[in-house]
């Protein structure tokens, strides 16, 4: 298979990938250029941010967010990054994730903020899951949102960019549809504007599949954590991703159509009322829908009281 872009320029080169949903075969060079062009177009078209703005990329150590950090830096955007060390010891998951993020930061000379939740809360995600009674992913999401937003506000970043790709967004949209969760569907967009205390949130990789992010990492020798989060095993999003991969195989372009037709045809029709009014948490000042402490501060209180009970038992 030959690279179509090179062929158009009268050059013959071997393609390394065929993208059925774009009916496009590309060589290594052209794939990198195509990816970066498409990324820049997405940012411009959806008005995510301008080249002068200060962007904070949330990096997990996985392929998507590292590809995003690298590509934005290469394209000349003003980027720093933040990594939340989740304190997951199984398979050295957090240790390896953090290393991958630190290594890329050094290589591309971009600043990386590190927040260790163990240092802040005394426990990692597995323990917080038991203490709070929330699922691991729910407590993990809560803690990540809190610290990422905090760093964004403290560092005066214009927006937070995450590495959510097309496969992630399709799986989430499908899950929201299964339960007809209209509130979540309203909030599922590539750009979420700034809201009282919440930084603008953008997803510049929504037009790329997982496979395309992976290839971008491979051709730029970006080392990422291969392991999936050990706490996310068996979650329904993995099942939905497998399902949509099958659909995509028989009908290329389905993922893009499912997600972007929702954005253009359905989402604008949904009532744009924010069902919850945001207030400031009386303890930490971060935005919350609660009349009292925010969910993060409640979690902190819970950890404190369990630790105090433990100490008391030891004394008794
Ligand atoms: P996930 O929900 O794990 O698929 O992650 C979605 C996106 O959230 C990633 O692409 C990152 O941008 C961000 N993210 C996930 N985990 C972390 C982390 N530990 N630290 C910073 N950002 C993260
Ligand atoms: Fe959040 Fe695994 S990364 S639960
Ligand atoms: Zn709070």
């Amino acid at each position: 298979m030959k690279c179509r872009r090179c062929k158009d320029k009268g050059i013959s080169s071997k393609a390394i990938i065929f993208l059925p949903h774009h009916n496009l075969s590309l060589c290594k060079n052209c794939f990198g250029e195509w990816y970066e062009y498409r990324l820049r177009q997405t940012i411009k078209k959806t008005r995510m941010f301008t080249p002068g703005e200060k962007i904070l990329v949330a990096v997990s150590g996985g392929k998507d967010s590292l590809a995003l950090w690298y590509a934005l830096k290469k394209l000349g955007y003003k980027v720093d990054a933040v990594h939340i060390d989740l304190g997951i010891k199984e398979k050295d998951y957090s240790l390896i994730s953090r290393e991958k993020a630190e290594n890329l930061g050094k290589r591309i000379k971009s600043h990386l903020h590190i927040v260790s939740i163990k240092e802040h809360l005394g426990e990692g995600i597995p323990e917080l899951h038991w203490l709070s009674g929330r699922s691991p992913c729910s407590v993990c999401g809560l803690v990540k949102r809190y610290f990422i937003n905090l760093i964004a506000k403290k560092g005066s970043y214009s927006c937070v960019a995450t590495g959510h790709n097309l496969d992630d967004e399709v799986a989430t949209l499908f899950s929201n549809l299964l339960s007809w969760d209209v509130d979540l569907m309203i909030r599922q967009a590539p750009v979420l504007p700034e809201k009282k205390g919440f930084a603008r949130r953008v997803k510049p990789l929504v037009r790329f599949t997982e496979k395309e992010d992976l290839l971008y990492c491979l051709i730029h020798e970006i080392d990422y954590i291969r392991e999936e989060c050990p706490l996310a095993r068996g979650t329904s999003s993995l099942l939905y991703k497998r399902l949509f991969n099958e659909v995509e195989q028989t009908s290329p372009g389905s993922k893009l159509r499912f997600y972007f037709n929702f954005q253009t045809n359905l989402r604008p029709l949904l009532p744009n009322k924010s069902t919850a009014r945001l207030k400031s948490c009386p303890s930490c000042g971060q935005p919350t829908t609660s009349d009292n402490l925010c969910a993060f501060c409640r979690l902190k209180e819970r950890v404190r009281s369990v630790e105090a009970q433990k100490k008391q038992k030891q004394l008794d």
Side-chain angles (χ1 to χ4, degrees):
M1 207 176 19
K2 300 281 179 205
C3 171
R4 211 186 71 195
R5 274 181 143 209
C6 283
K7 199 174 152 208
D8 290 347
K9 291 184 224 156
I11 311 163
S12 170
S13 59
K14 208 177 145 206
I16 56 158
I17 190 168
F18 174 62
L19 305 169
H21 46 298
H22 300 297
N23 193 21
L24 190 61
S25 46
L26 295 169
C27 67
K28 188 175 163 185
N29 249 346
C30 290
F31 175 78
E33 282 173 17
W34 172 84
Y35 185 98
E36 286 156 13
Y37 174 79
R38 198 167 162 79
L39 175 62
R40 207 194 322 237
Q41 286 300 100
T42 306
I43 294 168
K44 248 195 204 167
K45 262 195 191 161
T46 53
R47 299 193 181 148
M48 289 186 173
F49 46 84
T50 55
E53 287 183 288
K54 233 177 109 185
I55 315 303
L56 182 67
V57 187
V59 293
S60 60
K63 58 185 178 328
D64 309 290
S65 48
L66 291 183
L68 175 63
W69 188 15
Y70 182 97
L72 289 179
K73 178 85 183 164
K74 188 162 179 246
L75 289 171
Y77 289 101
K78 283 196 202 164
V79 281
D80 287 344
V82 56
H83 172 75
I84 314 295
D85 183 333
L86 300 165
I88 301 172
K89 287 196 218 103
E90 193 177 336
K91 297 192 165 179
D92 283 337
Y93 181 75
S94 289
L95 193 79
I96 301 171
S97 304
R98 180 174 172 157
E99 258 173 30
K100 304 294 178 195
E102 284 173 337
N103 290 346
L104 186 66
K106 277 183 215 143
R107 177 176 153 199
I108 63 174
K109 298 186 177 60
S110 181
H111 180 67
L112 174 68
H113 302 267
I114 297 264
V115 179
S116 156
I117 65 161
K118 248 190 155 150
E119 275 169 29
H120 283 268
L121 294 165
E123 306 285 1
I125 293 297
E127 297 80 18
L128 293 175
H129 148 60
W130 289 114
L131 284 171
S132 64
R134 283 170 173 252
S135 72
C137 289
S138 150
V139 79
C140 173
L142 165 69
V143 168
K144 280 191 296 207
R145 265 194 311 277
Y146 180 88
F147 284 114
I148 292 172
N149 196 50
L150 192 72
I151 299 283
K153 288 281 149 192
K154 270 192 182 168
S156 307
Y157 291 94
S158 299
C159 69
V160 172
T162 56
H164 292 94
N165 58 40
L166 182 63
D167 296 87
D168 296 326
E169 292 304 290
V170 162
T172 307
L173 178 57
F174 187 61
S175 163
N176 293 339
L177 268 175
L178 281 181
S179 49
W180 290 106
D181 193 328
V182 176
D183 281 346
L184 285 182
M185 281 155 75
I186 293 169
R187 276 187 270 148
Q188 207 188 343
V191 184
L192 284 179
E194 181 174 0
K195 212 167 64 176
K196 220 176 152 190
F198 278 120
R200 188 189 328 149
R201 278 181 291 158
V202 299
K203 297 171 183 171
L205 299 185
V206 279
R207 286 181 184 275
F208 297 110
T209 61
E210 235 168 64
K211 199 172 149 193
E212 288 156 6
D213 293 341
L214 170 74
L215 188 59
Y216 189 80
C217 282
L218 292 178
I219 66 175
H220 291 96
E221 295 175 2
I222 299 167
D223 193 18
Y224 59 91
I225 181 158
R226 265 105 180 135
E227 204 70 49
E228 285 285 343
C229 169
L231 307 180
R233 261 185 234 120
T235 50
S236 40
S237 70
L238 295 176
L239 167 69
Y240 302 152
K241 282 184 183 176
R242 279 201 302 275
L243 272 173
F244 268 90
N245 279 338
E246 278 191 34
V247 175
E248 184 74 20
Q249 272 213 328
T250 44
S251 174
S254 295
K255 290 181 194 172
L256 280 168
R257 277 194 301 276
F258 180 64
Y259 181 72
F260 285 100
N261 287 357
F262 162 72
Q263 293 299 336
T264 48
N265 299 343
L266 187 68
R267 196 170 165 269
L269 302 180
L270 299 177
N272 194 8
K273 55 173 172 55
S274 176
T275 44
R277 299 219 167 275
L278 287 177
K279 294 146 217 150
S280 283
C281 167
S283 172
C284 69
Q286 284 237 53
T288 175
T289 52
S290 155
D291 286 326
N292 210 320
L293 292 181
C294 70
F296 178 82
C297 288
R298 286 202 303 272
L299 177 69
K300 235 164 111 174
E301 286 290 301
R302 173 105 188 105
V303 176
R304 254 190 229 141
S305 81
V306 173
E307 294 299 329
Q309 279 170 15
K310 263 198 220 158
K311 269 192 195 144
Q312 190 59 45
K313 265 194 189 153
Q314 280 165 1
L315 291 175
D316 289 347

